[in-house]
Amino acid sequence: MPITNALSRCSWRVVALLIVAVLPSSALAQSGSRASAPPRVSKTTQSQGVAVVELFTSQGCSSCPSADAALRQIASVAEQSNLSVYTLSFHVDYWSHLGWKDPYSDPAYSNRQRAYASATGSRRIYTPQMIVSGTTEFVGSDKAKAHAAITKSLSQRPSSTVKLKVIESAIKDSVTVQFGVTGAIAGTVLNVALVQSPQPNKVLRGENIGRELEHVNVVRAFETVSLVQSSGTVELKIPDDVDAPTAMVIAYVQNPQSLTITAAASTKL
């Protein structure tokens, strides 16, 4: 298929994504609970770009639930429209001392956010923060900016591809992810995440006291490997409270200097 035709096909799908962005949340709620399930996104191709959406959030932050809802909408529309959009919810830990310890928080995810800030010359980190494809950041509840950034990412031809396969691990309570990457990989890294869409949980203290919060694709394990070779394996530790049917693996190629994400793929456990 010619590249122009492929991009045209991608564009009408993006229009659907943009239309959903302006619908009231009540209209989306009537469509059912699809947003709570991991999105089934299309495979990366040479004619359609990918968008990786990283949300830095916390259950201790009163302004985060709206961003969590925005991420669920993005995941849902990506699934329904067969878009190569990969969503990840990183729960930071620096809110945990302010009344409520987020059960999904991890200092490693706070450090990832700090690394983004350092690389871009920023002096601050905040929640909710959304970063699309490694290079565009904004307040996570800003749907207009989210969809503009996603549209731009999907219109760009990927420079590499990723294939994933989960194989049996010799390590207890772990999963082995086998990967193969083709294309321009010199100087890049592969980020591999175990994500889960858990059941909603009620917050008992802090800024969101009394609220029942719902998330999509919460990162529960995360590893980064340098792509010195085009294939290999990564071991991910599976937390005790992760139910395999609710989890999946997302992997994406990133340039650690420019921060640009050039390819991504996902697979179920």
Side-chain angles (χ1 to χ4, degrees):
M1 178 186 296
I3 293 175
T4 53
N5 289 347
L7 289 178
S8 177
R9 183 181 177 186
C10 178
S11 296
W12 73 260
R13 288 176 177 168
V14 173
V15 169
L17 191 66
L18 290 167
I19 290 173
V20 170
V22 299
L23 287 176
S25 58
S26 58
L28 288 167
Q30 292 173 5
S31 66
S33 59
R34 292 172 63 90
S36 64
R40 295 188 183 94
V41 291
S42 62
K43 298 289 185 181
T44 300
T45 68
Q46 288 298 321
S47 59
Q48 180 179 328
V50 300
V52 174
V53 184
E54 298 175 288
L55 175 66
F56 293 92
T57 185
S58 172
Q59 290 193 350
C61 159
S62 62
S63 58
C64 285
S66 59
D68 298 328
L71 193 72
R72 295 199 310 274
Q73 290 181 7
I74 292 169
S76 178
V77 173
E79 177 184 6
Q80 294 174 34
S81 302
N82 199 30
L83 291 164
S84 296
V85 179
Y86 302 82
T87 57
L88 302 98
S89 180
F90 289 91
H91 287 235
V92 300
D93 72 330
Y94 49 81
W95 281 90
S96 295
H97 67 286
L98 298 175
W100 175 251
K101 180 175 172 56
D102 188 327
Y104 309 118
S105 64
D106 192 305
Y109 308 149
S110 302
N111 289 336
R112 178 165 178 79
Q113 188 184 27
R114 292 187 183 101
Y116 266 122
S118 177
T120 58
S122 175
R123 296 180 176 227
R124 71 186 184 106
I125 59 174
Y126 65 91
T127 55
Q129 181 187 35
M130 192 172 284
I131 301 177
V132 175
S133 296
T135 56
T136 305
E137 73 86 19
F138 45 87
V139 174
S141 55
D142 191 329
K143 294 180 182 179
K145 288 186 178 179
H147 293 298
I150 291 169
T151 300
K152 180 179 178 181
S153 292
L154 290 177
S155 70
Q156 296 175 348
R157 182 172 177 171
S159 60
S160 53
T161 63
V162 183
K163 290 186 177 180
L164 301 174
K165 182 180 180 181
V166 174
I167 59 178
E168 185 175 355
S169 176
I171 303 175
K172 183 180 178 182
D173 299 326
S174 296
V175 61
T176 299
V177 181
Q178 191 175 61
F179 66 85
V181 184
T182 61
I185 63 172
T188 64
V189 299
L190 184 70
N191 301 308
V192 185
L194 174 69
V195 302
Q196 173 196 25
S197 294
Q199 293 295 317
N201 70 292
K202 191 169 184 178
V203 176
L204 303 179
R205 294 178 298 278
E207 291 190 0
N208 288 315
I209 185 170
R211 300 185 68 170
E212 188 170 74
L213 302 183
E214 184 178 356
H215 309 285
V216 67
N217 289 354
V218 177
V219 179
R220 304 304 310 278
F222 190 80
E223 296 291 340
T224 298
V225 295
S226 297
L227 285 174
V228 293
Q229 295 181 329
S230 61
S231 62
T233 60
V234 177
E235 291 285 338
L236 294 176
K237 178 72 174 177
I238 303 176
D240 294 338
D241 62 339
V242 170
D243 186 22
T246 69
M248 66 190 301
V249 173
I250 296 176
Y252 48 107
V253 179
Q254 186 168 29
N255 185 312
Q257 302 303 319
S258 67
L259 304 179
T260 303
I261 293 170
T262 58
S266 64
T267 186
K268 291 187 176 182
L269 293 187

